[in-house]
Amino acid sequence: MVISVSPLSTGNRGRLRNLGLEKAWVEDSLKANQYSSQLHKDKDLLNEVIFIDLKKAFDTIDHTIPLRKLRIYGVDENGIKFFESYLSNRSQICCVNGELSETVKTTCGVPQGTNLGPLLFLIYINDLPNCLNRASSRMFADETNISIAANSVTELEQIINSELKNLHQCMATS
């Protein structure tokens, strides 16, 4: 399954917060989860929703993962070389109390505050729903929630733990 996300929802994240669209997504997500919960309640099922903020994932993405996915999506070698060049030979410094740290070469993460950074992040998380076996997901930029239904608290706990392991493995390798 491929999740379609409009460029507005990702490339202009800072503006989205100002416009209240992220809040609207959370509210819509909560309503959808309440509806789902009611359906599960009608079937005597327990429902759990886990909200996950993937904000830090921007800083931890292994560069090989989005490049591999771009190949899978059919990007030609010139495009791959462009993205490799974009991601490589980057460095960063920190300023704390007016003091600059030493420059350190970055070997992972996608540049934030750029147009291509959010695109590469979306490519990275696009197949996240495929990693889940018994949960359904809702995604908006780096905000994700997964919804799980089960017959008992014990079953719910087992499914949650299993799905979180699946999610962790997917984020580390996909």
Side-chain angles (χ1 to χ4, degrees), residues 24-174:
W25 176 83
V26 170
E27 289 170 355
D28 286 348
S29 186
L30 286 170
K31 286 177 189 172
N33 286 318
Q34 286 171 343
Y35 175 75
S36 177
S37 292
Q38 187 60 46
L39 288 176
H40 293 144
K41 188 176 179 181
D42 291 345
K43 296 178 183 177
D44 289 328
L45 295 173
L46 300 172
N47 194 60
E48 179 75 26
V49 179
I50 301 169
F51 285 81
I52 303 166
D53 185 351
L54 299 172
K55 196 175 309 183
K56 289 293 181 190
F58 266 94
D59 300 328
T60 60
I61 296 172
D62 178 340
H63 292 164
T64 62
I65 295 172
L67 294 172
R68 182 173 37 80
K69 288 184 176 187
L70 286 167
R71 283 185 178 93
I72 291 168
Y73 295 153
V75 174
D76 67 18
E77 278 309 303
N78 287 332
I80 298 300
K81 287 178 184 174
F82 168 79
F83 281 104
E84 283 176 335
S85 171
Y86 178 75
L87 291 171
S88 63
N89 298 319
R90 290 188 169 268
S91 59
Q92 64 184 21
I93 59 172
C94 293
C95 181
V96 178
N97 295 329
E99 297 290 320
L100 291 178
S101 69
E102 291 185 31
T103 301
V104 177
K105 186 175 179 181
T106 58
T107 58
C108 62
V110 295
Q112 296 183 46
T114 66
N115 290 328
L116 292 178
L119 173 66
L120 289 168
F121 180 76
L122 286 178
I123 289 167
Y124 173 68
I125 66 165
N126 190 52
D127 55 1
L128 182 142
N130 298 337
C131 301
L132 303 171
N133 296 319
R134 302 219 14 220
S136 60
S137 63
R138 291 179 182 81
M139 299 167 50
F140 176 81
D142 61 2
E143 308 289 338
T144 299
N145 75 54
I146 59 174
S147 215
I148 301 152
N151 292 308
S152 69
V153 172
T154 303
E155 181 186 14
L156 191 60
E157 184 179 326
Q158 290 170 346
I159 295 169
I160 289 168
N161 287 329
S162 175
E163 293 295 46
L164 289 175
K165 284 179 187 174
N166 291 342
L167 188 62
H168 179 265
Q169 181 66 26
C170 182
M171 298 301 289
T173 61
S174 76

